[in-house]
Amino acid sequence: MPTIKQADVIQSVADALQYISYYHSPDFIQAMASAYEREEGPAAKDAIKQILVNSRMCAEGHRPICQDTGIVTVFCKVGMNVRWEASMTLEAMINEGVRRAYALPENKLRASIVADPAFGRKNTRDNTPAVIHTELVPGDALEISVAAKGGGSENKAFLSMLNPSDSIVDCILEAVPEMGAGWCPPGMLGIGIGGTAEKAMVLAKESLMDPIDITEIRARGPQNDIERLRLEIMDKVNALGIGAQGLGGLTTVLDVKIRDYPTHAASLPIAVIPNCAATRHAHFVLDGSGPAPLDPPDLELWPKLTFSATPDAIRVNLDTLTKAEVAAWQPGARLLLSGKMLTGRDAAHKRICQLLDEGKPLPPGLDFTNRVIYYVGPVDPIPGEAVGPAGPTTATRMDKFTETMLQKAGLIAMVGKAERGPEAIEAIRKHKAAYLMAVGGAAYLVSKAIRSSRVIAFADLGMEAVYEFEVKDMPVTVAVDSTGTSVHDTGPREWQAKIGKIPVREVAV
Ligand code: SF4
């Protein structure tokens, strides 16, 4: 009868979280590389290239794929024959593994978890607690699947309690465009069908732990209704033309995973959880023989791509930028930003707008007049870095603050990821400002453009503080121009129409 040791569980969970912070799994790399080969939308192709280059840099440099190093989700299958050499509960062991992984000095990960979510929202500082699902199964081992799930993609999860006669495909095709680009496509859709409301959500999440195998299913032909449904949903979602980062293109999803469970005769619960460009999960088995070994992937798996700005990119000096220059930027134009920019995300915006609305001064040294803000919460640097991985966060969450930031704070442009909503677009149009997007899921690559960083205000907010970054040739795309034209609106519409007319090729890598 195998004995599972507490120290092995803790060590294995910590090792797995470090591993997935910088290694995409081989199936994901292959699927993303195929999408790159197949992509015909220039902006989407460029975004996928950045994701792949970033991925390889992270694998080589052992730094996080994304600045959002995720909320830890764990599925445990406990063999009913195992014995324990442990004083902690399984949950406590897993959380200790999380604590150690996120604090590892050589590759410190961002702590993103807040306690008291409805009120205080205080960062727990060590990324605990994990969300843990435990099941007793026959057997002699402990099987653990560990995932680090980004907030941007988790925020787009949804549940529909359909009538049994409703169409699952129609439900998903209506919902996916509403998800926007905040989940950093291309990625995967995890779908749970049946059970109860909470069971469907867990099925959807667990399905995302399965490897990408849609190309093999397509090649050999679907062998059951679920496989047929996966292919139908994947093809129809990709035909929406949303594309990488919502810029319009051929690939929105790399795979569609489905798990199902019997349900009530009156019910058809459908849960959908997207997984993003930073899809991260690892699996291991403990059988009492020590911590689980995790072999590094072969670096030859990554396509040999390098990123360089397109020759038509416009160089922008942030230190002398004027409203007139911003107003002249065209939608879809590629810019290379150099100079100083401020940062800020949810918590900082809330404080700034509260001060401005109350007619109070901003903290000393914080002046947004004619400045550009970057929506980011960076990873702490390690020696030799100005800042750790620092990709954009979802701009849509800052929409309600945009009018105040443009009108009262004097901001002239913003950098983030994903689309802007009508409220923000109207403010941008009214103030002749602009919204620029960087690629979500390319955080380490983006951070290489940041030459220095210092905290300007709200240091108590940790990664949500306002920093001043000095950047050199940071690549961004004009996503909403001063007239309010949004590439997240025009791009998918253009590509949906094109896909209706062009045959979509499958590329094997
Ligand atoms: S890739 Fe996008 S959604 Fe995923 S963790 Fe990073 S920022 Fe969040």
Side-chain angles (χ1 to χ4, degrees):
M1 196 176 289
T3 301
I4 308 292
K5 296 187 190 70
Q6 174 172 302
D8 292 346
V9 176
I10 294 170
Q11 187 64 49
S12 302
V13 169
D15 290 349
L17 287 167
Q18 274 288 318
Y19 183 97
I20 62 176
S21 77
Y22 45 76
Y23 288 139
H24 272 129
S25 58
D27 56 319
F28 192 83
I29 291 301
Q30 275 173 334
M32 192 67 85
S34 301
Y36 176 74
E37 288 298 317
R38 203 170 41 231
E39 188 53 69
E40 295 178 22
K45 195 169 179 91
D46 185 71
I48 298 175
K49 187 191 223 185
Q50 289 195 45
I51 290 166
L52 283 165
V53 170
N54 179 73
S55 175
R56 188 183 173 111
M57 285 169 65
C58 296
E60 288 172 344
H62 289 195
R63 291 293 276 145
I65 293 164
C66 190
Q67 79 288 341
D68 182 351
T69 47
I71 181 164
V72 178
T73 308
V74 182
F75 288 91
C76 300
K77 288 189 169 42
V78 184
M80 291 173 77
N81 295 335
V82 304
R83 294 174 63 89
W84 294 93
E85 192 180 296
S87 58
M88 299 163 96
T89 62
L90 179 57
E91 192 169 312
M93 289 180 233
I94 290 168
N95 281 326
E96 182 55 26
V98 174
R99 208 167 277 125
R100 289 192 194 173
Y102 278 69
L104 191 78
E106 304 89 288
N107 181 34
K108 201 163 182 293
L109 307 180
R110 198 184 82 180
S112 306
I113 306 308
V114 294
D116 190 19
F119 301 102
R121 297 188 67 83
K122 200 166 183 315
N123 197 301
T124 63
R125 301 281 176 190
D126 57 11
N127 220 53
T128 65
V131 176
I132 301 166
H133 306 275
T134 306
E135 195 184 338
L136 278 178
V137 297
D140 300 329
L142 169 64
E143 270 181 57
I144 297 187
S145 299
V146 176
K149 188 68 164 61
S153 56
E154 192 69 5
N155 285 352
K156 303 297 177 182
F158 67 92
L159 171 75
S160 288
M161 300 302 286
L162 299 184
N163 290 318
S165 60
D166 290 342
S167 160
I168 294 169
V169 175
D170 287 354
C171 162
I172 290 168
L173 290 179
E174 268 170 41
V176 169
E178 297 294 313
M179 284 161 44
W183 62 284
C184 292
M188 292 192 288
L189 295 182
I191 300 176
I193 302 176
T196 52
E198 85 284 6
K199 178 71 179 176
M201 291 306 288
V202 175
L203 289 169
K205 180 59 69 69
E206 199 169 9
S207 76
L208 292 169
M209 305 292 126
D210 296 338
I212 294 176
D213 60 358
I214 203 85
T215 306
E216 293 89 80
I217 291 173
R218 197 183 292 282
R220 65 156 158 77
Q223 289 175 350
N224 53 49
D225 287 342
I226 291 287
E227 290 184 354
R228 264 184 285 282
L229 185 59
R230 285 175 58 195
L231 284 168
E232 181 182 357
I233 292 171
M234 178 167 175
D235 291 344
K236 288 184 172 170
V237 166
N238 281 340
L240 293 170
I242 294 166
Q245 302 287 307
L247 291 166
L250 298 180
T251 302
T252 305
V253 286
L254 304 170
D255 197 350
V256 171
K257 318 303 293 187
I258 296 180
R259 289 202 180 190
D260 68 347
Y261 193 83
T263 190
H264 192 286
S267 306
L268 180 53
I270 303 296
V272 178
I273 305 181
N275 220 357
C276 58
T279 285
R280 296 161 287 201
H281 52 94
H283 311 267
F284 57 86
V285 178
L286 297 179
D287 58 7
S289 59
L294 286 164
D295 295 329
D298 182 355
L299 288 177
E300 291 301 311
L301 281 172
W302 276 261
K304 290 180 180 47
L305 297 171
T306 51
F307 178 74
S308 55
T310 52
D312 60 342
I314 302 166
R315 290 186 185 275
V316 173
N317 183 346
L318 295 170
D319 299 333
T320 58
L321 188 63
T322 62
K323 285 187 89 163
E325 275 178 80
V326 171
W329 292 337
Q330 296 297 308
R334 317 279 174 84
L335 310 181
L336 289 173
L337 307 181
S338 295
K340 294 193 176 73
M341 58 165 52
L342 295 166
T343 76
R345 41 172 289 162
D346 310 61
H349 274 79
K350 191 172 172 194
R351 283 194 192 174
I352 293 163
C353 290
Q354 199 165 357
L355 289 170
L356 292 170
D357 288 342
E358 289 169 359
K360 292 181 179 160
L362 297 182
L366 185 57
D367 183 355
F368 287 98
T369 311
N370 287 347
R371 305 288 303 264
V372 174
I373 197 167
Y374 182 25
Y375 302 143
V376 64
V379 176
D380 286 343
I382 57 171
E385 290 179 345
V387 67
T393 195
T394 308
T396 326
R397 297 198 311 273
M398 264 52 78
D399 281 2
K400 65 180 175 186
F401 303 116
T402 302
E403 170 62 25
T404 304
M405 293 298 289
L406 296 178
Q407 200 229 322
K408 293 188 180 167
L411 200 67
I412 54 174
M414 300 144 278
V415 183
K417 72 170 169 84
E419 71 287 344
R420 305 306 300 259
E423 186 184 6
I425 290 178
E426 176 51 25
I428 290 167
R429 195 196 54 73
K430 182 172 144 196
H431 296 283
K432 302 222 165 303
Y435 165 60
L436 315 172
M437 60 154 289
V439 174
Y444 194 37
L445 176 65
V446 173
S447 74
K448 294 298 172 196
I450 302 166
R451 300 302 159 89
S452 69
S453 159
R454 66 186 178 110
V455 174
I456 295 283
F458 311 136
D460 60 302
L461 294 178
M463 62 94 175
E464 294 212 55
V466 174
Y467 296 78
E468 184 178 70
F469 285 171
E470 174 139 26
V471 298
K472 177 85 175 92
D473 292 338
M474 177 176 165
V476 294
T477 300
V478 179
V480 180
D481 77 344
S482 60
T483 68
T485 300
S486 167
V487 298
H488 289 103
D489 179 28
T490 54
R493 264 198 284 129
E494 178 192 339
W495 279 90
Q496 185 169 12
K498 278 187 183 162
I499 291 167
K501 294 178 196 138
I502 55 176
V504 178
R505 299 180 289 137
E506 274 298 309
V507 174
V509 164

